[in-house]
Amino acid sequence: MPALWIAHVTVSDEEAYGKYAKLAGPAIAKHGGAFIARGGRYVQLEGKDRPRNVVAKFPSVEAAEACYHSPEYQEALSHARGASERELLIVETSE
């Protein structure tokens, strides 16, 4: 089953986070992920407001999790730590 990688982010250091974004995109693509939403318009209805919201679709939960733990993504993530507050989850879809 396909899965969605959903991130809610508040960026505190644009320069460092830009390095993350530059490296994260190729790492996500390498694991079969494709962005379906990336920082666009949103409406916060409940919970903590995060101004940057990203959704990527992967072939499976396992592929999304493998991406997260991959050396390529972990290198990207090293630039996001300290430059952002984030929540990230993977959800299996029903399609």
Side-chain angles (χ1 to χ4, degrees), residues 26-74:
I28 288 168
K30 181 178 178 180
H31 289 86
F35 291 105
I36 57 176
R38 196 172 189 183
R41 186 174 161 221
Y42 73 98
V43 176
Q44 183 72 32
L45 297 175
E46 294 185 21
K48 186 166 180 71
D49 183 40
R50 299 271 188 213
R52 183 166 175 81
N53 299 283
V54 178
V55 180
K57 188 172 184 179
F58 282 84
S60 65
V61 168
E62 293 78 14
E65 192 171 5
C67 176
Y68 181 83
H69 293 294
S70 72
E72 300 89 358
Y73 187 76
Q74 288 299 306

Side-chain angles (χ1 to χ4, degrees), residues 2 15 21 23 28 57 59 78:
E15 184 178 337
L23 296 172
I28 288 168
K57 188 172 184 179
S78 72

